[in-house]
Amino acid sequence: MTKKIAVLPGDGIGQEIVAEAVKVIKKLQADGLDVEMNEAPVGGTAYDISGSPLPDETLKLAKEADAVLLGAVGGYKWESLDISVRPEKGLLGLRKELGLFANLRPAILYPQLADASTLKPEIVSGLDIMIVRELTGGIYFGQPRGVKTLDNGEREGYNTLVYRESEVKRITEVAFDIARKRGKKVCSVDKANVLEVTEMWRDVVNEMHKDNSDIELSHMYVDNAAMQLVKEPKQFDVMVTTNMFGDILSDCAAMLTGSIGMLPSASLNEKGQGMYEPIHGSAPDIAGQNIANPLATILSVAMMLRYSLDEAAMADRIEKAVDKVLDDGLRTADIYSDGMKKVSTSEMGDAVVTAL
Ligand code: NAD
């Protein structure tokens, strides 16, 4: 049956990089990939058209799709809007409405780009980590939350870190499943020495491990995990952690690679439906100049093929094509170094299509 992809370019460079990813999908369609693409606005672009960063038609399209390809949202133009209609609400709304509880963020360092990292090449060369972050629970969503004024007039701010056993189980299951397809190692990151919630998290992960004993499991406190990520990052295969710890550690891991324009991400729900997007934002500083790196978005399509569309061979083809263009010395401005060939956004997209 024809699978459906909702294409949501969003704002800023989102428009340019998604156009290149669409070229790649069209090439694969010509080679037999049975998918249908439908495009809709989201973020500031959608607000300008309809007054909402997530119009009903866009949400409907996303819900009916097997997978969503998102560019990025946000920009200077919409920063002064009320928080309820800011572009970011479009993204949060999609995550919530689609129930995307598992955020997969790979940090891969292509050997061709080892110099782009601020760490020594021998520490990071060949790095390939997958961070599995819980995305719909924890302290970002826990109630009660807010700021209140105490009797003495002082303000007190509070948030609640809360996880149910079932939430820990489903994210752990995702981590074990992914590890099984990779290096078969999972490191669960918590703060079990201080936070009861994550002491329970650790217990649940250990219980789940009884039925997943083919996977090598370890546990690490989050402060140590942050340290180990910069000290000896190649010790990790899959890391699984809470929403806030994952937010911080995945940015840290991404920066190990030194090239924000190269990293894709996936967010999955219980039905295997997913939203796929580059980890970077809408880069308003370079929008409209045809200089953004489209590879993170193109690699997001590879993740989409692998995790939501059951087309692993097509995913492999995209990843090999990206490898080939890097081998050929093609570089957008963000990853350019002396001796390489500087190309525009659209030239990079064309080169990947040719390599395919
Ligand atoms: P950003 O990721 O957009 O940009 C950070 C820096 O990286 C900029 O200098 C930018 O030019 C560069 N950069 C990013 N992607 C690039 C690419 N593909 N090629 C070359 N260079 C690239 O982060 P920011 O500047 O903090 O945020 C800009 C806007 O994006 C804000 O409105 C923010 O809210 C939004 N944002 C959206 C998402 C999302 O949609 N998922 C994520 C992060 C930020």
Side-chain angles (χ1 to χ4, degrees):
M1 208 173 68
T2 307
K3 300 262 176 71
K4 288 186 182 162
I5 303 174
V7 178
L8 315 181
D11 309 323
I13 62 166
Q15 300 280 339
E16 300 158 59
I17 52 181
V18 167
E20 300 313 310
V22 165
K23 276 185 198 167
V24 167
I25 297 172
K26 283 188 173 157
K27 163 69 182 151
L28 295 178
Q29 276 177 317
D31 292 349
L33 178 67
D34 191 11
V35 295
E36 172 191 311
M37 286 187 277
N38 292 293
E39 194 173 314
V42 70
T45 313
Y47 173 82
D48 286 348
I49 301 169
S50 68
S52 162
L54 183 57
D56 291 344
E57 309 83 82
T58 301
L59 182 59
K60 184 165 178 284
L61 197 72
K63 280 186 167 171
E64 285 171 2
D66 297 284
V68 176
L69 177 65
L70 181 84
V73 297
Y76 312 133
K77 187 176 166 193
W78 303 285
E79 272 169 11
S80 57
L81 288 177
D82 184 76
I83 195 158
S84 63
V85 288
R86 285 213 198 123
E88 291 72 15
K89 277 281 166 193
L91 184 63
L92 294 176
L94 280 167
R95 282 182 186 163
K96 181 164 174 278
E97 292 290 332
L98 296 176
L100 303 171
F101 72 93
N103 185 216
L104 276 45
R105 292 219 0 202
I108 297 171
L109 185 68
Y110 286 84
Q112 301 94 325
L113 302 177
D115 287 345
S117 176
T118 46
L119 296 192
K120 294 186 192 117
E122 64 269 26
I123 304 283
V124 287
S125 187
L127 182 80
D128 184 357
I129 303 176
M130 176 71 87
I131 297 193
V132 178
R133 165 189 170 197
E134 201 291 325
L135 199 59
T136 50
I139 198 162
Y140 291 175
F141 294 94
Q143 296 287 348
R145 60 192 295 153
V147 179
K148 66 181 175 195
T149 304
L150 302 174
D151 291 343
N152 67 0
E154 188 188 11
R155 282 178 304 158
E156 182 180 77
Y158 52 98
N159 288 88
T160 305
L161 172 58
V162 54
Y163 271 114
R164 290 194 180 175
E165 224 176 322
S166 52
E167 291 175 289
V168 183
K169 275 186 181 157
R170 65 181 184 178
I171 195 74
T172 305
E173 205 170 322
V174 170
F176 284 144
D177 283 351
I178 287 174
R180 197 161 281 122
K181 295 179 193 149
R182 301 171 36 105
K184 297 200 167 50
K185 271 167 50 176
V186 169
C187 177
S188 171
V189 177
D190 59 42
K191 190 73 184 166
N193 51 343
V194 180
L195 300 170
E196 288 84 349
V197 185
T198 65
E199 201 181 352
M200 181 203 79
W201 174 288
R202 191 178 278 222
D203 283 348
V204 174
V205 173
N206 279 331
E207 284 159 21
M208 297 280 298
H209 186 234
K210 289 179 188 146
D211 293 329
N212 292 276
S213 52
D214 55 322
I215 306 295
E216 187 186 323
L217 173 68
S218 60
H219 300 275
M220 205 177 265
Y221 298 140
V222 65
D223 42 344
N224 188 24
M227 199 168 75
Q228 294 299 327
L229 266 179
V230 282
K231 183 170 174 247
E232 206 192 321
K234 282 191 269 183
Q235 69 184 283
F236 297 112
D237 175 26
V238 174
M239 300 173 92
V240 61
T241 191
T242 65
N243 199 343
M244 183 163 73
F245 295 163
D247 189 4
I248 300 165
L249 292 180
S250 61
D251 266 20
C252 175
M255 283 327 291
L256 297 176
T257 73
S259 38
I260 193 171
M262 294 293 302
L263 296 176
S265 76
S267 305
L268 307 177
N269 67 15
E270 280 179 333
K271 291 183 283 182
Q273 232 183 345
M275 184 157 84
Y276 298 83
E277 55 179 320
I279 66 152
H280 59 73
S282 56
D285 54 333
I286 58 166
Q289 298 176 35
N290 196 24
I291 58 170
N293 188 342
L295 293 180
T297 317
I298 290 172
L299 289 166
S300 299
V301 174
M303 286 191 88
M304 173 191 290
L305 290 163
R306 183 163 287 124
Y307 294 112
S308 286
L309 304 182
D310 207 14
E311 293 280 359
M314 293 269 187
D316 286 346
R317 275 186 69 194
I318 294 183
E319 285 161 359
K320 284 198 183 110
V322 168
D323 223 24
K324 167 92 171 63
V325 299
L326 293 176
D327 275 344
D328 290 347
L330 302 193
R331 303 282 189 272
T332 41
D334 57 309
I335 51 172
Y336 178 76
S337 59
D338 283 347
M340 298 294 136
K341 184 170 177 235
K342 198 186 270 187
V343 293
S344 67
T345 309
S346 49
E347 284 167 340
M348 187 59 108
D350 289 342
V352 174
V353 170
T354 305
L356 277 171

